[in-house]
Amino acid sequence: MRELKKYRWKQVFLFAVIICMIFAGRLHAILADTYTDGRIVVKHEELKVKKNGQYIQGQHPYELQGNSITNALSYIYFEEKGLLKKTGTLRVFQDDEIRKLVPLIIQAFSVATPSQVVAVSSFSERMLLTDQQNYCILFIFDNSLNIVFSRVHMFQTYNDAMSEKKRYTATRENPVRTKKSRFWKLVPTTGQRLEPHHENWLVIDLSDKIYQQPLAQRVGTVEEKIKVGTSDLDARLKKLEEKMGAADESKTPQPSTPANELREDSKMKSKLTLLREMVNEGIISAEDYDHKKAKMLREAMEDMSIKEQLQEIKDLKSEGLITESDYAEKKKELLDRF
């Protein structure tokens, strides 16, 4: 009888150990499949992905290289739609987002299962109490990186963001079921193509040499953008400035009248307008424009009063020549100096 009781106690003990191990394993799985950095969230999702009429599974787990995924995220562009759209192409992910996203995405892919995708929720161009949100899923199929978006730079207030955070774990948004947006569409570049019948689904060939290149130094603030300029970029911009200066000198001077002064745009606005036209025509890149814009915001208004500078950047923002984040950053700097 004693031996029987002893045997039963051993069974109960082993059963308890097994239950604890199962619970611990489940708890570990719950904690391990979500990776965060501030308000950026990268997690595994069990979502069905249909491609060419058939459900597929990803080639996971997958070891991504840091330079490949960084370059891939850096070269994702979109165009806005609608009457109030900005002209030209815009980057989906900003520099601060990419720096936070890359290690989280690499980690998520390294342990993802074939039935899982990597879901990304991030925010860009933070301005006071507002954000612009990106939401997408990533998976590897046919040796290519697939990125499918359901939100690109979606405007959110602080309350919207908090509500989103609360319901994030309860919802499973599937961007694959979306084919396009009324407000934006992705623009493929080198080594990229759109999935047929989708404006929100990029297929990226990571073996393309552009994604194998060493990381380009990318920075976000005005101060950093000035420091980052390469000698090649500075040389090209210097030649551009000389051409612009020669064009100004070739104009026949006209008598200065109050009416002329009212019609005449500032030199900074004229230069940025010309640079924007060159970006749209493909003469210079968006990076060239951003570098020159940052340099002008720092140096071109030194002979103006703070009040005049505030009015200048307000005009530039209304014309779409600088972004909301450029305006907020410069305004804060000027007010701090006031």
Side-chain angles (χ1 to χ4, degrees):
M1 181 66 71
R2 289 182 180 178
E3 290 181 357
L4 181 59
K5 288 183 178 180
K6 194 174 183 181
Y7 177 74
R8 286 180 178 174
W9 275 112
K10 282 184 179 180
Q11 283 186 317
V12 171
F13 177 76
L14 288 173
F15 181 76
V17 169
I18 291 171
I19 293 297
C20 289
M21 290 177 66
I22 292 173
F23 179 79
R26 287 181 178 175
L27 180 61
H28 174 74
I30 292 171
L31 296 176
D33 74 345
T34 300
Y35 314 94
T36 62
D37 188 335
R39 293 180 58 216
I40 286 179
V41 178
V42 175
K43 64 183 300 185
H44 297 126
E45 289 281 13
E46 297 278 349
L47 297 179
K48 291 184 177 180
V49 177
K50 203 170 188 179
K51 189 178 174 76
N52 298 326
Q54 295 182 340
Y55 287 107
I56 63 170
Q57 289 199 326
Q59 295 170 288
H60 309 151
Y62 192 90
E63 297 298 328
L64 282 171
Q65 300 300 314
N67 62 322
S68 296
I69 187 64
T70 299
N71 287 328
L73 296 179
S74 299
Y75 296 125
I76 298 178
Y77 295 92
F78 75 101
E79 288 180 350
E80 291 187 346
K81 297 179 180 180
L83 295 175
L84 301 177
K85 67 179 182 180
K86 296 177 183 177
T87 59
T89 57
L90 306 166
R91 285 176 61 195
V92 171
F93 294 107
Q94 306 304 307
D95 304 321
D96 57 341
E97 279 180 279
I98 294 173
R99 282 193 290 268
K100 294 178 180 179
L101 280 171
V102 167
L104 304 183
I105 291 174
I106 291 175
Q107 186 177 9
F109 266 109
S110 69
V111 294
T113 65
S115 63
Q116 292 177 331
V117 299
V118 175
V120 169
S121 176
S122 65
F123 299 85
S124 62
E125 296 188 16
R126 184 169 175 79
M127 304 173 293
L128 299 179
L129 297 180
T130 63
D131 288 300
Q132 289 177 315
Q133 186 196 27
N134 299 314
Y135 184 84
C136 63
I137 61 170
L138 298 84
F139 59 91
I140 302 293
F141 181 76
D142 198 19
N143 297 311
S144 295
L145 174 64
N146 291 254
I147 306 183
V148 194
F149 290 86
S150 58
R151 306 176 214 170
V152 171
H153 286 207
M154 187 179 80
F155 179 80
Q156 288 198 322
T157 65
Y158 180 79
N159 289 333
D160 291 335
M162 290 301 100
S163 298
E164 172 68 23
K165 190 173 182 180
K166 289 178 181 177
R167 68 173 180 264
Y168 184 80
T169 55
T171 59
R172 285 190 175 183
E173 185 173 345
N174 193 348
V176 173
R177 295 175 181 170
T178 304
K179 293 189 176 180
K180 62 181 181 179
S181 167
R182 292 181 298 165
F183 306 107
W184 52 267
K185 65 177 180 179
L186 298 177
V187 180
T189 59
T190 305
Q192 303 176 1
R193 63 179 174 84
L194 286 174
E195 177 72 8
H197 312 298
H198 285 267
E199 294 181 350
N200 65 321
W201 184 337
L202 274 183
V203 181
I204 302 177
D205 179 9
L206 293 180
S207 66
D208 192 287
K209 63 181 181 180
I210 192 172
Y211 304 114
Q212 302 302 317
Q213 294 176 354
L215 297 180
Q217 187 181 6
R218 292 179 178 274
V219 287
T221 66
V222 169
E223 192 70 42
E224 290 171 327
K225 285 174 183 174
I226 294 171
K227 295 177 182 177
V228 79
T230 62
S231 57
D232 175 61
L233 175 57
D234 287 335
R236 286 189 286 115
L237 288 174
K238 186 176 180 180
K239 290 181 180 179
L240 183 61
E241 282 183 320
E242 291 172 353
K243 289 182 180 179
M244 292 166 64
D248 289 340
E249 292 175 2
S250 64
K251 292 179 181 178
T252 305
Q254 297 180 353
S256 177
T257 65
N260 287 340
E261 288 176 1
L262 287 172
R263 287 194 301 267
E264 184 180 3
D265 287 333
S266 70
K267 289 183 179 180
M268 185 171 178
K269 181 179 176 182
S270 299
K271 286 185 177 182
L272 287 177
T273 302
L274 181 56
L275 287 168
R276 176 60 62 80
E277 291 174 0
M278 290 181 176
V279 171
N280 294 337
E281 293 171 7
I283 299 173
I284 63 173
S285 69
E287 284 76 12
D288 294 339
Y289 178 85
D290 288 340
H291 176 78
K292 184 61 181 175
K293 175 185 67 176
K295 200 166 186 177
M296 291 177 69
L297 282 173
R298 177 63 63 200
E299 300 174 358
M301 300 188 291
E302 291 180 349
D303 57 344
M304 299 168 60
S305 68
I306 290 179
K307 181 180 178 181
E308 289 171 335
Q309 291 185 61
L310 287 169
Q311 183 61 51
E312 179 79 358
I313 61 174
K314 183 179 179 182
D315 293 342
L316 294 174
K317 179 175 72 73
S318 65
E319 293 288 335
L321 296 172
I322 64 174
T323 66
E324 288 280 358
S325 56
D326 292 331
Y327 172 74
E329 182 184 339
K330 186 64 180 178
K331 182 175 74 170
K332 182 179 184 304
E333 175 199 322
L334 292 171
L335 293 176
D336 287 344
R337 288 165 46 192
F338 187 71

